[in-house]
Amino acid sequence: MSEANFLQLMAACADDANSRMHRGIATYRLLTGVPPADADIIIDSNLDRHVLASILAAATMDGGSLPEKAGLSALELAALLEQYFPSLEIKLAEQLSVFKCEEDEEIAMLRDLLLKQRSTEGDIGHWLAAMIARRAMEPGHLWEALGLRNRGELSRLLSRHFAPLAARNFNNMRWKRFFYRMLCENEGLVMCTTPVCTQCVDFNLCFGEESGESRMAERRRDFLLQAARPIVAGDWPSEPPHGSAIAPSSEKASPDLVSRAGGCGRG
């Protein structure tokens, strides 16, 4: 694929809901050569590429600047693509250099928390810390905001690249809430009125089930159902994609650390 076509696909703005809806899997397939449902992540290096591609696919769906939505500078994004997806054979540094990411204090705090707990070497730990911190600002479960297929992929990723921090979540708290709980504790904030989590009225918010259909799978299912409907007068089918995609996310929510961490007890 030519450089121009790639940049068009990865462009920050989407013209309509349909193009946004189909962009995620198209981006993932362009990066990896397969749809996300077929990704083989048995080997750790394959897991890394799957996660990076998933985050970039999720970020393309949100509109705006791709580097900003992914949590990277333009140069970092170009370096990531060159290192992990070299088959694209493109150089993006100059084309993306116009995008400037402003530093967000909350994102920086979470990124620094992750960086201090790195357990692998190389650039990927730095990139993942920044990407995870940025995507944690999006609503919903963190694994969904990262474009992953399930929570297990996120847990494995964190145990691989941020093992000391992941090991502290021995009660299997929801990851986003766990991160913000760690940040609040680092700041000396006490969020709970109960001594143990099992007595907390917000127990399900902190430890509730995080299973469900991924955003990519949901869009694929919706597209297949739509394609199977009989066409009636005035009912125009949407343009068929190469695959389905992640749903566009809503605007960033910005509650403070305590509200993000929830009311679960210390322990």
Side-chain angles (χ1 to χ4, degrees):
M1 172 172 286
S2 70
E3 182 174 318
N5 288 339
F6 177 79
L7 289 173
Q8 183 178 10
L9 176 63
M10 299 281 281
C13 20
D15 294 332
D16 52 47
N18 280 338
S19 63
R20 291 196 303 269
M21 183 173 65
H22 303 319
R23 193 178 299 270
I25 284 182
T27 299
Y28 186 97
R29 293 184 65 160
L30 177 63
L31 292 169
T32 67
V34 298
D38 295 340
D40 180 357
I41 60 171
I42 295 177
I43 301 173
D44 284 339
S45 59
N46 289 349
L47 172 69
D48 292 345
R49 292 185 79 252
H50 166 67
V51 169
L52 293 172
S54 296
I55 297 174
L56 293 177
T60 62
M61 298 305 302
D62 290 347
S65 161
L66 175 59
E68 189 280 322
K69 291 297 183 179
L72 301 174
S73 70
L75 293 178
E76 286 173 329
L77 178 56
L80 183 157
L81 292 170
E82 185 174 1
Q83 181 172 335
Y84 280 90
F85 307 101
S87 61
L88 295 174
E89 297 180 352
I90 60 174
K91 304 292 183 181
L92 295 180
E94 293 183 3
Q95 290 85 347
L96 293 175
S97 61
V98 296
F99 295 109
K100 304 291 184 182
C101 294
E102 295 184 3
E103 184 79 336
D104 180 282
E105 182 178 0
E106 190 173 340
I107 294 174
M109 290 173 64
L110 181 51
R111 181 197 63 211
D112 292 345
L113 173 70
L114 290 164
L115 285 175
K116 291 176 181 177
Q117 303 291 323
R118 288 184 59 199
S119 51
T120 53
E121 300 293 333
D123 292 329
I124 188 171
H126 288 279
W127 294 334
L128 285 172
M131 297 170 91
I132 291 170
R134 171 59 185 86
R135 299 305 298 173
M137 300 300 105
E138 300 298 325
H141 298 315
L142 180 57
W143 65 267
E144 293 178 316
L146 295 172
L148 301 178
R149 295 176 294 188
N150 53 62
R151 186 180 191 269
E153 292 184 346
L154 174 57
S155 297
R156 181 180 164 192
L157 169 72
L158 295 173
S159 295
R160 168 166 160 73
H161 290 284
F162 309 98
L165 183 63
R168 295 174 66 181
N169 190 10
F170 50 84
N171 284 326
N172 203 31
M173 181 181 283
R174 291 182 178 182
W175 283 113
K176 189 186 295 188
R177 287 184 174 268
F178 172 75
F179 289 157
Y180 283 95
R181 180 183 178 187
M182 293 296 100
L183 288 175
C184 287
E185 290 186 354
N186 288 346
E187 294 295 320
L189 301 176
V190 178
M191 301 165 289
C192 298
T193 58
T194 55
V196 294
C197 287
T198 53
Q199 298 175 9
C200 179
V201 295
D202 290 328
F203 180 86
N204 287 334
L205 292 177
C206 293
F207 297 94
E209 186 179 11
E210 284 191 85
S211 62
E213 190 173 35
S214 72
R215 297 167 75 187
M216 287 189 184
E218 179 183 2
R219 286 303 170 186
R220 179 175 180 80
R221 173 179 52 78
D222 290 346
F223 172 73
L224 292 176
L225 288 175
Q226 182 181 8
R229 289 187 312 164
I231 298 177
V232 297
D235 186 8
W236 293 90
S238 61
E239 180 181 355
H242 295 293
S244 57
I246 309 171
S249 68
S250 61
E251 290 299 314
K252 167 187 169 183
S254 57
D256 60 24
L257 293 183
V258 175
S259 62
R260 283 186 181 276
C264 285
R266 301 170 67 90

